Amino acid sequence: MVVVIYFSRAGQNKQYGVTQYINVGNTALVARKLAQRLACSVEALQTLPH
């Protein structure tokens, strides 16, 4: 069984020195493309709430 597992942080991120809100982190985008190429599933690691 092949699966791509990733951790990506969406939300407030700095891009070009400016704080911006993004819905999907860059790692998530790459993981989804990789899983599509490999024809496998993709799962995100989640942090526990405080």
Side-chain angles (χ1 to χ4, degrees):
M1 178 165 132
V2 177
V3 62
V4 174
I5 300 172
Y6 70 94
F7 176 79
S8 185
R9 192 176 64 125
Q12 279 191 340
N13 283 286
K14 282 209 171 201
Q15 292 180 327
Y16 307 110
V18 178
T19 301
Q20 298 180 0
Y21 184 84
I22 58 172
N23 292 322
V24 179
N26 292 333
T27 306
L29 295 174
V30 172
R32 291 175 187 171
K33 288 181 180 185
L34 181 61
Q36 187 176 34
R37 285 279 185 124
L38 295 173
C40 68
S41 60
V42 60
E43 293 293 331
L45 293 176
Q46 303 291 324
T47 58
L48 296 174
H50 291 91

